[in-house]
Amino acid sequence: MRIRKWRDKMTIRAIDRMRMVSIFVTLFLGCPAFAQMLPSFGFTRVAAPPNFYGAVAVGDFNDDGNLDIATGSCGSVQAGFGISLNTARSTDSIAFGGPILNPYPYCVQSIYVADVNRDSRLDAIVSADVEGKVTILLGQGNGTVKKGAEYSIQPTDATSYHWPKRLAVADFDGDGNPDFAVGNGSRMDIWLGWGDGTFRIGSSQDLLTVLPWLLVAGDFNKDGIQDLAAFCRPSHTPWISRVFVFDGHGDGTLAEPRRYEVAGDPSSAELLAADMNGDGEDDLILWMSGQTEVYLNHGDGTFSPSVSSVCFGCSAAVFAVAADIDADGRTDLISPNGGAGLSHWMHIMVGAGDGRFWSVLHFPSATLPGRIALGDFNGDRRLDMFAIPSSSGSPGEKATVWLGKSAPHLVVSVTQDRPVYNDEPTMPFTVRIGNAP
């Protein structure tokens, strides 16, 4: 008991220390004198249609070698799907044409890009949870799409939630055609692609008392076959959420899942797959409005208990993306704060390379950011960022692009040779902020 009290006390002191680091960095970033440290993400406003808040995806939709933006809306004024073509002509600037609007009557929840009919043109698989639809939009190679097959996702069990939430797009049966996994009430369904833009149900697994909410695919056990992970919410009390991991059989069916506990039952979350500790294996990251749970992959498809981290000031940050933002070879997390608290801010959790994080950086956004997408939009081989407005923002707000630059960029360091963790005693430390050479 005495040891537990000591560890709790030390954890609180360490968390307070990390909060001070986060606030310190935030205050300096907000000062005009330090504005020169932000050009690593200098930003440019680009056109985006009003109320296009629902989803965003990246792909070359007109075969010109530039990454374009697909957005879908779920706003109060209109629902729809649009593609903004990237007209960048140099690495020093970027421009997106006015969105090419495509008739789509549903509330877009998520967009996935793949060539589903093997015509060498990118298509979109769109989920609409309010209407319970998955729709195939076939790319025409010029930024427009043609409506293809459509599938109803209607749970047979009673549930108050809308479906489908998120999909996972991958080749689950090894035939070279994109397939998709979707939660359908308490069922996990795998739809197999024929290669002509149409799909059929390949398997369905009843998960009984849990609802597969968020999905992500990957070869988690390194057998060359696509597996599946799902964040599952309970269908009834007690409210205990879990992460399920399914091994794929390579024929469109899944093994019985392994289950990992989740701390609490978040009202919103994001499930990601990325290598968080540099061992070449995809780990699982569960982002829950500022709380991060990282499940490290042992390399055989089993995962260690989660490593927890907290992003202070990020309680309204619902969505997140995993990428190496600062090009140090370690995976970071970036999340837009599209609600209360530090609204009009972006948050970066700087990866330590072992599943934990060095610190949290905050920087301002011109508009209230919603979902984000990453890619090299101006062809300079550096990661750029595109953010669509949050549904909590003002009608007519425009999207924002941050262009990644090599230098100068922000450097944050502490006087220790390793990260500051939440489970260690307090030790003397200082923080230095400056420009990279």
Side-chain angles (χ1 to χ4, degrees), residues 59-249:
D60 182 4
F61 293 99
N62 61 345
D63 301 322
D64 66 350
N66 293 330
L67 288 180
D68 309 309
I69 297 291
T71 56
S73 70
C74 193
S76 58
V77 177
Q78 62 180 336
F81 176 88
I83 293 177
S84 294
L85 296 179
N86 183 352
T87 58
R89 292 294 181 266
S90 72
T91 59
D92 296 326
S93 64
I94 190 170
F96 287 85
I100 300 174
L101 302 181
N102 297 271
Y104 185 75
Y106 306 135
C107 181
V108 178
Q109 169 62 225
S110 54
I111 303 170
Y112 305 87
V113 176
D115 180 9
V116 300
N117 59 352
R118 291 191 166 187
D119 64 352
S120 300
R121 298 170 178 171
L122 286 183
D123 312 305
I125 305 174
V126 180
S127 68
D129 62 340
V130 174
E131 295 83 5
K133 302 289 186 181
V134 172
T135 306
I136 311 302
L137 301 178
L138 300 175
Q140 303 301 294
N142 59 0
T144 65
V145 295
K146 179 181 178 181
K147 184 179 178 181
E150 187 170 272
Y151 305 96
S152 294
I153 308 297
Q154 303 291 342
T156 56
D157 53 328
T159 174
S160 60
Y161 301 111
H162 296 301
W163 299 96
K165 294 300 181 186
R166 305 288 180 84
L167 312 180
V169 176
D171 183 7
F172 290 105
D173 60 353
D175 64 353
N177 299 322
D179 313 310
F180 67 87
V182 58
N184 186 357
S186 62
R187 296 204 324 265
M188 179 71 76
D189 293 341
I190 304 292
W191 290 73
L192 301 179
W194 289 108
D196 60 358
T198 64
F199 295 78
R200 68 192 186 279
I201 288 187
S203 65
S204 183
Q205 187 172 147
D206 194 345
L207 304 182
L208 301 177
T209 60
V210 298
L211 310 174
W213 203 260
L214 306 171
L215 311 180
V216 63
D219 183 8
F220 300 120
N221 57 0
K222 308 301 288 186
D223 63 353
I225 297 173
Q226 289 293 304
D227 310 309
L228 186 68
F231 167 67
C232 298
R233 299 189 67 182
S235 58
H236 56 76
T237 56
W239 298 100
I240 301 176
S241 299
R242 293 180 173 87
V243 172
F244 281 29
V245 179
F246 305 81
D247 288 340
H249 290 149

Side-chain angles (χ1 to χ4, degrees), residues 2 31 39 70 91-92 105 123 134 154 181 207 212 245 251 298 304 313 352 356 377 409-410 433:
R2 293 177 62 185
C31 295
T91 59
D92 296 326
D123 312 305
V134 172
Q154 303 291 342
L207 304 182
V245 179
D251 58 359
H298 294 148
S304 63
R356 294 179 278 192
F377 297 118
H409 65 270
L410 179 66
I433 299 182

